[in-house]
Amino acid sequence: MENFNALLEEYFSKQERPFQMGERVSGIIVHLSPDYVFVDIGLKKEALIPTEELRDREGKLRHSVGDEIKAIVVKKISGEGSYLLSVAKILEEEAWEDLKEAYQKGEPIHIKITKPIK
């Protein structure tokens, strides 16, 4: 019986574990809506990712239900017990790391200009 209590306590501690802002998480996409992608990250409620972050340049979604996805916690949605996640921030961090590595190695960097900025 003590073993069961220990397992039950461990289960609930994982369920209620708060995520920190900026923490990397991974989960499974469980639902797609026009505004948000719902991701199971192991909590009672699904986390949300803005659908626009998962579209390619043509506007098509790059992921579907059942896909595993990595994201960064942006904020906790007050009152709901859920989190807002961002995939764009991970892609941005990876791009900066790639740029730093190319600079350190002295490699050329190939870019595509998408729009001018003043």
Side-chain angles (χ1 to χ4, degrees), residues 101-115:
E101 187 177 317
Y103 175 75
Q104 290 171 349
K105 292 180 179 179
E107 296 175 343
I109 299 170
H110 301 281
I111 61 168
K112 180 179 181 180
I113 299 172
T114 56
K115 65 181 180 178

Side-chain angles (χ1 to χ4, degrees), residues 13 42 60 78 83 91 97 104 117:
S13 70
K60 296 179 184 176
S78 61
Y83 291 90
L91 296 175
E97 289 302 317
Q104 290 171 349
I117 297 176

Side-chain angles (χ1 to χ4, degrees), residues 10-60:
E10 179 183 339
Y11 171 77
F12 282 119
S13 70
K14 286 182 182 176
Q15 292 295 316
E16 300 301 322
R17 181 180 96 68
F19 290 102
Q20 302 297 319
M21 301 314 117
E23 183 176 346
R24 289 176 178 248
V25 297
S26 63
I28 304 294
I29 295 175
V30 294
H31 179 72
L32 303 170
S33 79
D35 298 323
Y36 292 100
V37 173
F38 294 77
V39 181
D40 179 6
I41 58 171
L43 299 174
K44 292 178 184 176
K45 292 197 131 198
E46 287 85 19
L48 305 174
I49 300 174
T51 303
E52 283 304 310
E53 288 193 13
L54 300 178
R55 294 189 187 280
D56 61 15
R57 292 182 193 258
E58 287 80 37
K60 296 179 184 176

Side-chain angles (χ1 to χ4, degrees), residues 55-70:
R55 294 189 187 280
D56 61 15
R57 292 182 193 258
E58 287 80 37
K60 296 179 184 176
L61 282 174
R62 295 184 305 239
H63 297 279
S64 59
V65 173
D67 288 355
E68 184 174 351
I69 192 162
K70 294 180 181 181

